[in-house]
Amino acid sequence: MKEQHSHQFSSLRAAAYAVGLARRQHALLAVVYVQPMPAAGAALGAPVAETTDEIAEDLVAQIRDAAERLKGIFEVRWEFHTFRGDPYNGLVKAADELRADAVVVGASEQAGHRIVGSVAVRLVKAGRWPVTVVP
């Protein structure tokens, strides 16, 4: 439970940072959730896939709720997008399709710091957008 909590706080801090950035730049804020694709093996067991969808829907609801609250505090234009894929490719696809000027990600402790850290590092190395990692 604690892991899930730290992940959400990191995401919310990243969202709050991005809101501030969008407000100062008078930019459109795109909130992106990358929904994990089930692994080939997991896809064979329907219950696993359903659970993943339930978790995703719960997360989407929480992010929407947080974004609504943040939107009330700061007057920014924002939109919500869901992409499927692994974290890195999902974010790259999102940034490309949305023609992002910058990417803000939360450094999550969930599933081991290295995984998300490597996503941020790969985004930086791609060299296509300024990337900010919010702890």
Side-chain angles (χ1 to χ4, degrees), residues 1-10 108-111:
M1 196 63 190
K2 181 176 172 287
E3 279 186 3
Q4 181 74 8
H5 246 51
S6 62
H7 172 61
Q8 284 167 4
F9 288 142
S10 174
S108 169
E109 291 165 34
Q110 190 182 38

Side-chain angles (χ1 to χ4, degrees), residues 21-35:
L21 192 65
R23 186 188 51 174
R24 288 191 298 276
Q25 306 283 337
H26 302 292
L28 173 68
L29 173 67
V31 178
V32 173
Y33 170 63
V34 180
Q35 188 170 341

Side-chain angles (χ1 to χ4, degrees), residues 19 22-24 26-27 70-78:
V19 165
R23 186 188 51 174
R24 288 191 298 276
H26 302 292
L70 290 168
K71 190 177 73 163
I73 300 165
F74 310 110
E75 302 289 308
V76 296
R77 293 174 303 128
W78 72 282

Side-chain angles (χ1 to χ4, degrees), residues 44-59:
L44 298 174
V48 176
E50 280 169 25
T51 307
T52 305
D53 279 345
E54 278 169 30
I55 292 167
E57 280 167 29
D58 183 46
L59 267 174

